[in-house]
Amino acid sequence: MTCRAYAKINIGLLILGRRPDGYHDLQTVFHRINLFDQITLEPSESTITVESNEPAAPGDETNLCFRAADALRRFLGHEAGVRISLAKSIPVGAGLGGGSSDAACVLRHLPRLWGRPLDDAALSELALGLGSDVAYFLQSGSAIARGRGEVLKYFTLELPYAILVCTPAIHVSTAWAYGRIDVKSRPRQVDLESLVVAGMKDPSHLAELENDFEDVVFEAYPDIRLIRDTMRTAGAAISLLSGSGSSVFGLFERMGTAREVAALLARRGHRVSLTEPGFRPA
Ligand code: C5P
Protein backbone atom coordinates (compact mmCIF):
# COMPACT_ATOMS: atom_id res chain seq x y z
CA MET A 1 0.00 0.00 0.00
CA THR A 2 1.51 3.33 -1.10
CA CYS A 3 0.26 6.83 -0.33
CA ARG A 4 1.31 10.40 -0.91
CA ALA A 5 1.71 12.68 2.10
CA TYR A 6 1.46 16.28 0.90
CA ALA A 7 3.11 19.30 2.52
CA LYS A 8 1.14 22.32 3.74
CA ILE A 9 1.70 26.03 4.04
CA ASN A 10 0.06 28.33 6.60
CA ILE A 11 -1.68 31.16 4.76
CA GLY A 12 -1.61 33.47 7.79
CA LEU A 13 -0.98 32.37 11.38
CA LEU A 14 -2.25 34.24 14.44
CA ILE A 15 -1.22 33.27 17.97
CA LEU A 16 -4.08 34.31 20.22
CA GLY A 17 -3.04 33.31 23.73
CA ARG A 18 -1.33 30.83 26.00
CA ARG A 19 -3.45 27.98 27.35
CA PRO A 20 -3.40 26.32 30.77
CA ASP A 21 -2.01 23.13 29.12
CA GLY A 22 1.10 25.04 27.96
CA TYR A 23 0.06 25.13 24.29
CA HIS A 24 -1.15 28.22 22.44
CA ASP A 25 -4.50 28.99 20.85
CA LEU A 26 -4.06 29.94 17.25
CA GLN A 27 -5.90 30.68 14.06
CA THR A 28 -4.40 29.61 10.73
CA VAL A 29 -5.37 28.48 7.24
CA PHE A 30 -3.73 25.21 6.19
CA HIS A 31 -3.35 24.65 2.45
CA ARG A 32 -1.66 21.73 0.65
CA ILE A 33 1.04 22.30 -1.96
CA ASN A 34 2.44 20.12 -4.73
CA LEU A 35 5.26 18.64 -2.68
CA PHE A 36 4.87 15.20 -1.13
CA ASP A 37 6.54 12.27 0.56
CA GLN A 38 5.78 8.78 -0.68
CA ILE A 39 4.97 6.23 2.03
CA THR A 40 4.79 2.47 1.54
CA LEU A 41 3.20 0.22 4.16
CA GLU A 42 3.80 -3.54 4.04
CA PRO A 43 2.52 -6.13 6.50
CA SER A 44 5.09 -7.55 8.89
CA GLU A 45 4.83 -10.27 11.55
CA SER A 46 5.11 -8.37 14.80
CA THR A 47 7.59 -5.49 14.59
CA ILE A 48 7.22 -1.91 13.42
CA THR A 49 10.15 -0.75 11.27
CA VAL A 50 10.75 2.52 9.44
CA GLU A 51 13.25 3.03 6.62
CA SER A 52 13.88 6.52 5.34
CA ASN A 53 15.92 8.00 2.49
CA GLU A 54 16.47 11.13 4.60
CA PRO A 55 19.12 11.17 7.36
CA ALA A 56 17.30 14.06 9.07
CA ALA A 57 14.20 11.82 9.47
CA PRO A 58 15.78 8.69 10.98
CA GLY A 59 13.95 5.37 10.92
CA ASP A 60 13.95 4.89 14.68
CA GLU A 61 11.19 5.12 17.28
CA THR A 62 11.43 8.94 17.34
CA ASN A 63 10.08 9.03 13.77
CA LEU A 64 6.49 10.28 13.83
CA CYS A 65 5.46 7.42 11.47
CA PHE A 66 6.78 4.89 13.96
CA ARG A 67 4.94 6.67 16.76
CA ALA A 68 1.72 6.73 14.70
CA ALA A 69 1.90 2.97 14.02
CA ASP A 70 2.77 2.26 17.65
CA ALA A 71 -0.13 4.42 18.93
CA LEU A 72 -2.53 2.62 16.56
CA ARG A 73 -1.32 -0.80 17.63
CA ARG A 74 -1.76 0.02 21.32
CA PHE A 75 -5.20 1.54 20.74
CA LEU A 76 -6.38 -1.48 18.74
CA GLY A 77 -4.65 -4.03 20.96
CA HIS A 78 -3.26 -5.44 17.71
CA GLU A 79 -0.41 -7.95 17.48
CA ALA A 80 0.81 -7.52 13.89
CA GLY A 81 3.56 -5.17 12.73
CA VAL A 82 4.29 -3.08 9.67
CA ARG A 83 7.25 -2.18 7.48
CA ILE A 84 7.13 1.56 6.66
CA SER A 85 9.29 2.94 3.82
CA LEU A 86 9.58 6.68 3.60
CA ALA A 87 10.73 8.43 0.41
CA LYS A 88 11.00 11.99 1.67
CA SER A 89 10.89 15.07 -0.55
CA ILE A 90 9.45 17.50 2.01
CA PRO A 91 12.24 19.29 3.90
CA VAL A 92 12.37 18.12 7.53
CA GLY A 93 11.49 20.50 10.39
CA ALA A 94 10.85 23.35 7.99
CA GLY A 95 7.29 24.53 8.75
CA LEU A 96 5.75 22.47 5.92
CA GLY A 97 4.17 19.75 8.10
CA GLY A 98 6.12 16.88 6.50
CA GLY A 99 6.40 14.70 9.61
CA SER A 100 2.77 15.42 10.56
CA SER A 101 1.53 14.58 7.06
CA ASP A 102 3.51 11.31 7.06
CA ALA A 103 2.05 10.36 10.45
CA ALA A 104 -1.51 11.14 9.29
CA CYS A 105 -0.92 8.96 6.22
CA VAL A 106 -0.03 6.04 8.53
CA LEU A 107 -3.08 6.70 10.74
CA ARG A 108 -5.39 6.74 7.69
CA HIS A 109 -4.10 3.69 5.87
CA LEU A 110 -2.63 1.28 8.41
CA PRO A 111 -5.96 0.30 10.04
CA ARG A 112 -7.15 -0.91 6.61
CA LEU A 113 -3.93 -2.86 6.02
CA TRP A 114 -4.48 -4.53 9.38
CA GLY A 115 -8.19 -5.09 8.61
CA ARG A 116 -9.14 -3.03 11.68
CA PRO A 117 -10.87 0.17 10.42
CA LEU A 118 -11.18 3.03 12.90
CA ASP A 119 -13.73 5.86 13.15
CA ASP A 120 -12.80 9.52 12.57
CA ALA A 121 -13.11 10.52 16.24
CA ALA A 122 -10.59 7.88 17.35
CA LEU A 123 -8.20 8.86 14.54
CA SER A 124 -8.40 12.56 15.52
CA GLU A 125 -7.67 11.68 19.14
CA LEU A 126 -4.61 9.63 18.14
CA ALA A 127 -3.50 12.43 15.77
CA LEU A 128 -3.55 15.03 18.54
CA GLY A 129 -1.40 12.79 20.71
CA LEU A 130 1.26 12.90 17.98
CA GLY A 131 1.29 16.65 17.27
CA SER A 132 -0.88 19.72 16.84
CA ASP A 133 -0.78 19.69 12.99
CA VAL A 134 -1.42 15.97 12.44
CA ALA A 135 -5.25 16.12 12.58
CA TYR A 136 -5.40 18.51 9.59
CA PHE A 137 -3.77 15.91 7.34
CA LEU A 138 -6.40 13.26 8.12
CA GLN A 139 -8.75 14.83 5.56
CA SER A 140 -8.29 16.46 2.18
CA GLY A 141 -8.95 20.11 1.36
CA SER A 142 -7.85 23.35 2.95
CA ALA A 143 -8.94 24.20 6.47
CA ILE A 144 -9.20 26.99 8.96
CA ALA A 145 -7.71 25.72 12.21
CA ARG A 146 -8.35 26.98 15.72
CA GLY A 147 -7.56 25.73 19.22
CA ARG A 148 -4.15 24.01 19.24
CA GLY A 149 -4.63 23.46 15.52
CA GLU A 150 -7.03 20.55 15.88
CA VAL A 151 -10.37 22.42 15.72
CA LEU A 152 -10.78 22.27 11.96
CA LYS A 153 -13.25 23.56 9.41
CA TYR A 154 -12.46 22.29 5.92
CA PHE A 155 -13.26 24.34 2.84
CA THR A 156 -12.37 24.39 -0.85
CA LEU A 157 -9.73 26.95 -1.72
CA GLU A 158 -9.09 27.43 -5.44
CA LEU A 159 -5.82 29.32 -5.29
CA PRO A 160 -5.38 31.31 -8.52
CA TYR A 161 -1.72 31.96 -7.68
CA ALA A 162 1.51 30.08 -8.22
CA ILE A 163 3.00 29.12 -4.86
CA LEU A 164 6.75 29.35 -4.47
CA VAL A 165 8.17 27.76 -1.32
CA CYS A 166 11.78 28.39 -0.32
CA THR A 167 13.51 26.50 2.50
CA PRO A 168 16.93 27.68 3.67
CA ALA A 169 19.24 25.25 5.48
CA ILE A 170 18.15 26.61 8.87
CA HIS A 171 16.22 24.69 11.52
CA VAL A 172 13.83 26.72 13.69
CA SER A 173 12.50 24.96 16.80
CA THR A 174 8.74 25.42 17.05
CA ALA A 175 8.80 25.18 20.86
CA TRP A 176 11.54 27.86 20.97
CA ALA A 177 9.54 30.15 18.66
CA TYR A 178 6.33 29.79 20.72
CA GLY A 179 8.33 30.47 23.87
CA ARG A 180 9.50 33.84 22.51
CA ILE A 181 6.06 35.14 21.50
CA ASP A 182 4.65 37.90 23.69
CA VAL A 183 1.04 36.69 23.76
CA LYS A 184 -0.29 39.47 26.00
CA SER A 185 0.04 42.06 23.27
CA ARG A 186 -1.89 40.04 20.71
CA PRO A 187 -5.66 39.97 21.36
CA ARG A 188 -7.31 40.28 17.91
CA GLN A 189 -10.63 39.63 16.24
CA VAL A 190 -9.69 38.51 12.74
CA ASP A 191 -11.47 36.00 10.54
CA LEU A 192 -8.63 34.53 8.52
CA GLU A 193 -10.91 32.37 6.36
CA SER A 194 -12.82 35.40 4.97
CA LEU A 195 -9.57 37.30 4.50
CA VAL A 196 -8.00 34.45 2.54
CA VAL A 197 -11.15 33.85 0.47
CA ALA A 198 -11.36 37.61 -0.34
CA GLY A 199 -7.67 37.52 -1.27
CA MET A 200 -8.34 34.85 -3.89
CA LYS A 201 -10.45 37.35 -5.89
CA ASP A 202 -8.52 40.51 -5.05
CA PRO A 203 -4.82 40.19 -4.19
CA SER A 204 -4.86 43.51 -2.29
CA HIS A 205 -6.58 41.69 0.63
CA LEU A 206 -3.60 39.36 0.94
CA ALA A 207 -1.45 42.23 2.24
CA GLU A 208 -3.47 42.07 5.49
CA LEU A 209 -2.26 38.53 6.24
CA GLU A 210 0.38 38.00 8.90
CA ASN A 211 2.34 35.24 10.57
CA ASP A 212 2.94 36.06 14.23
CA PHE A 213 6.19 34.08 14.30
CA GLU A 214 7.85 36.43 11.83
CA ASP A 215 9.16 39.04 14.29
CA VAL A 216 10.94 36.55 16.56
CA VAL A 217 12.16 34.30 13.74
CA PHE A 218 13.37 37.14 11.49
CA GLU A 219 15.19 38.77 14.40
CA ALA A 220 17.12 35.57 15.15
CA TYR A 221 17.58 34.53 11.49
CA PRO A 222 17.89 37.58 9.20
CA ASP A 223 18.57 35.29 6.21
CA ILE A 224 14.96 34.09 6.42
CA ARG A 225 13.68 37.68 6.32
CA LEU A 226 15.83 38.23 3.24
CA ILE A 227 13.95 35.46 1.40
CA ARG A 228 10.62 37.04 2.35
CA ASP A 229 11.87 40.45 1.15
CA THR A 230 13.25 39.00 -2.09
CA MET A 231 9.85 37.48 -2.93
CA ARG A 232 8.00 40.72 -2.13
CA THR A 233 10.39 42.87 -4.14
CA ALA A 234 10.09 40.45 -7.07
CA GLY A 235 6.31 40.95 -7.19
CA ALA A 236 4.74 38.35 -4.88
CA ALA A 237 1.14 39.28 -4.00
CA ILE A 238 2.11 38.12 -0.50
CA SER A 239 5.09 36.38 1.03
CA LEU A 240 5.00 34.93 4.54
CA LEU A 241 6.75 32.50 6.83
CA SER A 242 5.07 29.06 6.90
CA GLY A 243 4.48 27.75 10.43
CA SER A 244 7.47 28.74 12.56
CA GLY A 245 9.73 28.40 9.51
CA SER A 246 12.26 28.15 8.21
CA SER A 247 10.25 27.90 4.97
CA VAL A 248 8.90 31.05 3.36
CA PHE A 249 6.24 31.01 0.65
CA GLY A 250 5.15 33.56 -1.91
CA LEU A 251 1.94 33.76 -3.94
CA PHE A 252 2.56 34.99 -7.49
CA GLU A 253 -0.02 36.02 -10.08
CA ARG A 254 2.23 34.71 -12.87
CA MET A 255 3.92 31.31 -12.94
CA GLY A 256 6.73 32.82 -15.05
CA THR A 257 7.66 35.30 -12.31
CA ALA A 258 7.51 32.55 -9.67
CA ARG A 259 9.89 30.44 -11.79
CA GLU A 260 12.38 33.31 -12.14
CA VAL A 261 12.37 33.97 -8.38
CA ALA A 262 12.72 30.23 -7.71
CA ALA A 263 15.83 30.13 -9.91
CA LEU A 264 17.28 33.17 -8.13
CA LEU A 265 16.73 31.64 -4.66
CA ALA A 266 18.06 28.25 -5.79
CA ARG A 267 21.25 30.00 -6.97
CA ARG A 268 21.63 31.28 -3.39
CA GLY A 269 21.69 27.64 -2.25
CA HIS A 270 18.11 27.33 -0.94
CA ARG A 271 15.67 24.47 -1.62
CA VAL A 272 12.69 25.62 -3.68
CA SER A 273 9.40 24.11 -4.78
CA LEU A 274 6.71 25.42 -7.13
CA THR A 275 2.98 24.70 -7.11
CA GLU A 276 0.94 25.68 -10.15
CA PRO A 277 -2.22 27.86 -9.83
CA GLY A 278 -5.39 25.86 -9.11
CA PHE A 279 -3.42 22.83 -7.84
CA ARG A 280 -5.38 20.12 -6.05
CA PRO A 281 -3.69 17.01 -4.65
CA ALA A 282 -4.47 13.74 -6.47
O1 C5P B 1 2.18 19.79 18.92
P1 C5P B 1 3.57 19.90 18.41
O2 C5P B 1 4.43 18.74 18.79
O3 C5P B 1 3.66 20.23 16.95
O4 C5P B 1 4.18 21.17 19.15
C1 C5P B 1 5.55 21.42 19.30
C2 C5P B 1 5.70 22.47 20.39
O5 C5P B 1 5.16 23.72 19.94
C3 C5P B 1 4.95 22.15 21.67
O6 C5P B 1 5.73 21.46 22.58
C4 C5P B 1 4.58 23.51 22.21
O7 C5P B 1 5.68 24.03 22.92
C5 C5P B 1 4.43 24.37 20.97
N1 C5P B 1 3.03 24.57 20.53
C6 C5P B 1 2.24 25.48 21.21
N2 C5P B 1 0.94 25.69 20.77
C7 C5P B 1 0.46 25.05 19.69
C8 C5P B 1 1.27 24.11 19.00
C9 C5P B 1 2.54 23.90 19.44
O8 C5P B 1 2.67 26.10 22.19
N3 C5P B 1 -0.79 25.30 19.28
Side-chain angles (χ1 to χ4, degrees):
M1 184 180 277
T2 298
C3 57
R4 284 181 176 188
Y6 283 90
K8 57 81 179 165
I9 52 171
N10 298 86
I11 310 182
L13 194 159
L14 306 177
I15 299 164
L16 303 171
R18 204 192 313 275
R19 303 152 45 121
D21 63 6
Y23 285 86
H24 291 77
D25 278 318
L26 54 79
Q27 197 186 147
T28 188
V29 169
F30 287 121
H31 182 73
R32 280 180 178 80
I33 57 170
N34 193 6
L35 175 65
F36 56 86
D37 296 337
Q38 195 105 19
I39 300 183
T40 306
L41 305 174
E42 293 166 285
S44 155
E45 285 272 296
S46 59
T47 50
I48 299 169
T49 56
V50 183
E51 277 168 31
S52 164
N53 66 336
E54 166 64 73
D60 60 18
E61 60 286 346
T62 61
N63 190 297
L64 220 47
C65 285
F66 181 98
R67 291 180 47 210
D70 192 46
L72 268 176
R73 197 157 72 154
R74 284 165 199 266
F75 184 84
L76 293 167
H78 198 57
E79 305 272 295
V82 61
R83 203 161 36 243
I84 303 171
S85 308
L86 261 180
K88 285 209 66 82
S89 300
I90 307 172
V92 174
L96 301 176
S100 300
S101 188
D102 296 347
C105 192
V106 171
L107 289 180
R108 272 164 54 199
H109 296 283
L110 188 52
R112 267 193 292 135
L113 187 79
W114 281 342
R116 299 283 302 272
L118 259 182
D119 61 52
D120 289 348
L123 285 179
S124 299
E125 192 67 35
L126 289 172
L128 193 58
L130 297 168
S132 307
D133 289 356
V134 180
Y136 162 65
F137 292 103
L138 290 173
Q139 291 184 47
S140 49
S142 305
I144 172 103
R146 295 188 171 82
R148 253 177 78 185
E150 86 290 15
V151 182
L152 294 156
K153 185 183 147 224
Y154 289 83
F155 63 106
T156 304
L157 186 57
E158 288 283 351
L159 211 79
Y161 306 105
I163 307 170
L164 167 61
V165 173
C166 175
T167 308
I170 297 171
H171 175 73
V172 181
S173 155
T174 302
W176 167 87
Y178 270 111
R180 302 216 39 193
I181 296 278
D182 177 10
V183 279
K184 287 191 292 299
S185 62
R186 295 173 182 271
R188 271 159 308 163
Q189 294 294 324
V190 183
D191 178 10
L192 267 187
E193 182 187 347
S194 341
L195 206 56
V196 169
V197 169
M200 295 308 111
K201 296 195 186 79
D202 175 357
S204 67
H205 288 287
L206 297 174
E208 295 169 49
L209 291 168
E210 294 172 77
N211 178 325
D212 284 342
F213 283 119
E214 287 192 343
D215 288 347
V216 294
V217 172
F218 289 168
E219 194 193 338
Y221 304 100
D223 285 353
I224 306 179
R225 184 204 305 271
L226 190 62
I227 297 169
R228 199 271 314 257
D229 292 347
T230 299
M231 289 199 196
R232 289 194 176 181
T233 309
I238 181 78
S239 173
L240 288 173
L241 195 68
S242 183
S244 58
S246 62
S247 299
V248 170
F249 72 90
L251 304 184
F252 290 84
E253 289 180 73
R254 293 183 31 232
M255 190 69 178
T257 315
R259 270 202 201 97
E260 285 165 21
V261 183
L264 171 75
L265 292 167
R267 281 198 297 277
R268 291 186 196 161
H270 303 312
R271 289 177 73 171
V272 292
S273 116
L274 273 170
T275 297
E276 65 274 25
F279 168 75
R280 282 217 211 165

